[in-house]
């Protein structure tokens, strides 16, 4: 299949420019789009409008995921799409590229007069990044039963607003959050197209524009709370301090140090919150959010234990205490091997693993799931510098159309 050059490029540029201003910080150029916030509501409107204009039937499921159907929903559907939310200050491509490409792939199939024998659905999963309520892949976890809806309803954002209240505000009834077996039974297979996040594609083949996913590493999030004694920054002598920031800093350094001897492992402290947080205040507690990724959930937990042990030692010296709370964990996932081989063959693309989490990794436990990656020469992601050239994005649309045609027969 060869893409209709002008039409698809124009549609891509038009969709991209409509999205460009939503949730963007003008100074940094980064995007902050979080589930059920104003930007997310605009994105949902945008998606509904795009899908409706194409004559697709749009619905919001019980978990706040959006679905646009080409053909009446029926078992065996070929589902594609991604997410529209972002990390705080993220890039333009992580998530939206998969959604825009899915819509454009439908256009491409239609312009080729392909009549799929199975329904095709374009999906936007809610809160993939966990940027607002902390639990990544929230919409797909709820759909598949991998998240407890009672726990999810009680999650709070940084302003102490519960997920249940935020959902209500967006018109999603929180009483119905939870496993959706009926919907899951419609999904024959899932393909998520995504910007590559890293340089594994380049390493596999410097000429390759597209890649196919093999597996997703194990990854988890932990909240380490160091508790000490709040006090005055000017009047408290060093010997009298129980300052939780000091062991917290040692914990950050430990998260780097423990990686020695664990090739492939990564650990990141991307968020730290002193409580109450004042320049002239010794904090009474510090929350340290830790993201650790490694070969398996057990390997990952071992690293966290090592980091927590160092943190506890430092905390004891400062007269502070530490609690460790696991916020989420995703075991390593092998994507569907048969689909990966089929896609690699169709696209003549290398097969690569990824260190990033994706809804496809959650869906993979229930339905055959695959991923396609569009090259991102710098490898930068979760930051404003994330980029894929338009020509490469169009090759992604072309490739996705080809894949959908093959899967939907
Ligand atoms: C999401 O992109 C993640 O890997 O955390
Ligand atoms: Mn991401
Ligand atoms: Mn993503």
């Amino acid at each position: 299949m060869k893409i209709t050059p002008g039409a698809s490029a124009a549609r891509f540029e038009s969709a991209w420019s409509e999205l460009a201003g939503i949730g963007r910080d003008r100074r940094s150029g980064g995007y902050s789009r979080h589930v059920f916030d104003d930007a997310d509501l605009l994105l949902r409107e945008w998606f509904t409008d795009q899908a409706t204009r194409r004559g697709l039937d749009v619905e919001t499921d019980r978990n706040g995921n959006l679905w646009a159907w080409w053909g009446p929903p029926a078992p065996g559907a070929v589902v594609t799409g991604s997410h529209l939310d972002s990390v705080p200050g993220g890039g333009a491509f992580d998530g939206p590229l998969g959604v825009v490409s899915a819509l454009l792939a439908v256009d491409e199939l239609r312009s080729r007069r392909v009549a799929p024998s199975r329904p095709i659905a374009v999906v936007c999963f809610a809160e993939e990044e966990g940027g607002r309520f902390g639990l990544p892949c929230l919409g797909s976890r709820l759909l598949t039963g991998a998240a407890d809806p009672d726990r999810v309803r009680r999650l709070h954002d940084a302003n102490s607003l519960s997920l249940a209240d935020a959902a209500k505000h967006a018109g999603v009834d929180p009483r119905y959050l939870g496993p959706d077996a009926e919907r899951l039974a419609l999904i024959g297979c899932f393909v998520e197209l995504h910007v590559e996040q890293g340089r594994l594609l380049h390493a596999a083949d410097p000429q390759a524009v597209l890649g196919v996913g093999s597996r997703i590493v194990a990854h988890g999030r932990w909240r380490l709370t160091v508790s000490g004694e709040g006090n005055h920054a000017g009047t408290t002598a060093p010997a009298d301090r129980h300052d939780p920031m000091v062991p917290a800093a040692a914990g950050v350094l430990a998260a780097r140090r423990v990686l020695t001897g664990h090739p492939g492992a990564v650990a990141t402290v991307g968020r730290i919150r002193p409580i109450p947080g004042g320049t002239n205040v010794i904090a009474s507690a510090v929350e340290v959010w830790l993201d650790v990724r490694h070969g398996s959930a057990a390997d990952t937990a071992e690293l966290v234990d090592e980091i927590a042990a160092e943190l506890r030692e430092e905390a004891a010296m400062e007269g502070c205490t530490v609690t460790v709370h696991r916020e989420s964990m995703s075991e390593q996932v092998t994507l569907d091997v048969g689909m990966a081989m089929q896609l690699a063959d169709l696209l003549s693309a290398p097969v690569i693993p990824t260190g990033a989490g994706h809804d496809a990794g959650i869906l993979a436990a229930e339905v055959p799931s695959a991923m396609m990656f569009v090259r991102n020469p710098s490898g930068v992601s979760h930051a404003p510098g994330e980029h894929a050239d338009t020509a490469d994005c169009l090759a992604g649309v072309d490739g996705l159309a080809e894949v959908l045609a093959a899967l939907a027969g």
Side-chain angles (χ1 to χ4, degrees):
M1 185 176 304
K2 200 72 225 107
I3 206 151
T4 331
S8 205
R11 279 195 291 263
F12 183 83
E13 297 289 4
S14 151
W16 217 244
S17 67
E18 285 172 24
L19 291 174
I22 304 178
R24 183 171 185 270
D25 181 278
R26 281 205 205 152
R27 266 188 307 162
S28 69
Y31 287 91
S32 294
R33 300 160 164 173
H34 303 311
V35 71
F36 305 143
D37 73 1
D38 290 348
D40 187 52
L41 296 183
L42 285 173
L43 291 166
R44 284 164 183 269
E45 259 176 50
W46 171 85
F47 178 77
T48 304
D49 179 57
Q50 288 279 329
T52 310
R53 273 198 254 159
R54 288 170 166 83
L56 307 179
D57 290 327
V58 186
E59 52 174 350
T60 304
D61 71 16
R62 60 194 295 169
N63 295 305
N65 305 309
L66 290 170
W67 298 77
W69 289 92
W70 178 16
V78 175
V79 179
T80 184
S82 189
H83 60 98
L84 291 169
D85 66 304
S86 74
V87 295
F93 294 81
D94 178 356
L97 183 62
V99 174
V100 169
S101 301
L103 292 168
L104 266 58
V106 167
D107 295 341
E108 196 55 30
L109 292 178
R110 285 170 161 174
S111 74
R112 301 267 151 188
R113 307 215 183 289
V114 173
S117 56
R118 300 171 182 215
I120 291 181
V122 179
V123 65
C124 302
F125 284 112
E127 177 88 328
E128 189 267 357
E129 301 286 6
R132 182 167 182 190
F133 293 100
L135 184 61
C137 298
L138 183 84
S140 54
R141 281 186 207 265
L142 283 166
L143 164 72
T144 57
D148 170 11
D150 282 334
R151 179 190 164 210
V152 167
R153 276 186 279 269
R154 288 196 304 270
L155 292 171
H156 281 78
D157 69 5
N159 297 317
S160 303
L161 186 74
S162 72
L163 184 135
D165 286 340
K168 258 187 240 163
H169 169 71
V172 174
D173 190 331
R175 288 175 301 170
Y176 301 119
L177 295 177
D180 195 342
E182 224 173 281
R183 182 166 300 270
L184 204 50
L186 299 177
I187 309 175
C189 61
F190 177 56
V191 184
E192 180 169 0
L193 178 148
H194 207 279
V195 68
E196 208 220 339
Q197 301 168 283
R199 296 192 21 100
L200 292 180
L201 182 55
H202 185 266
D205 176 356
Q207 306 307 320
V209 174
L210 303 179
V212 172
S214 56
R215 65 187 163 80
I216 300 175
V217 300
H219 54 286
R221 298 179 182 188
W222 286 261
R223 178 164 40 93
L224 313 175
T225 306
V226 192
S227 299
E229 184 180 59
N231 216 328
H232 195 292
T235 60
T236 316
D240 294 337
R241 293 180 182 223
H242 306 292
D243 181 351
M245 189 56 88
V246 175
V252 174
L253 296 177
R256 173 61 66 87
R257 199 166 34 246
V258 298
L259 302 180
T260 315
H262 297 281
V266 288
T268 308
V269 177
R271 180 148 72 108
I272 190 159
R273 185 166 82 98
I275 299 167
T279 308
N280 54 352
V281 178
I282 296 171
S284 58
V286 175
E287 282 178 349
V288 178
W289 294 76
L290 181 63
D291 176 309
V292 184
R293 307 185 187 213
H294 199 7
S296 69
D299 295 343
T300 307
E302 252 176 57
L303 283 178
V304 175
D305 288 346
E306 274 186 57
I307 295 166
E310 275 203 41
L311 177 56
R312 283 203 175 91
E313 235 173 78
E314 297 289 336
M317 286 196 278
E318 185 71 12
C320 296
T321 56
V322 178
T323 58
V324 176
H325 181 77
R326 193 178 79 176
E327 297 284 329
S328 68
M329 184 67 226
S330 305
E331 184 49 285
Q332 173 171 210
V333 170
T334 301
L335 295 161
D336 188 84
V337 175
M339 284 184 79
M341 284 169 55
Q342 186 183 6
L343 266 60
D345 194 40
L346 276 171
L347 304 170
S348 305
V351 180
I352 53 167
T354 175
H358 299 284
D359 294 304
I362 303 295
L363 269 283
E366 305 294 333
V367 294
S369 298
M371 290 204 69
M372 291 172 55
F373 298 110
V374 173
R375 84 173 152 195
N376 163 6
S378 72
V380 169
S381 187
H382 283 189
E386 181 180 87
H387 181 75
D389 288 340
T390 300
D392 294 347
C393 295
L394 292 174
V397 172
D398 188 18
L400 182 59
E402 188 132 3
V403 164
L404 295 178
L407 295 172

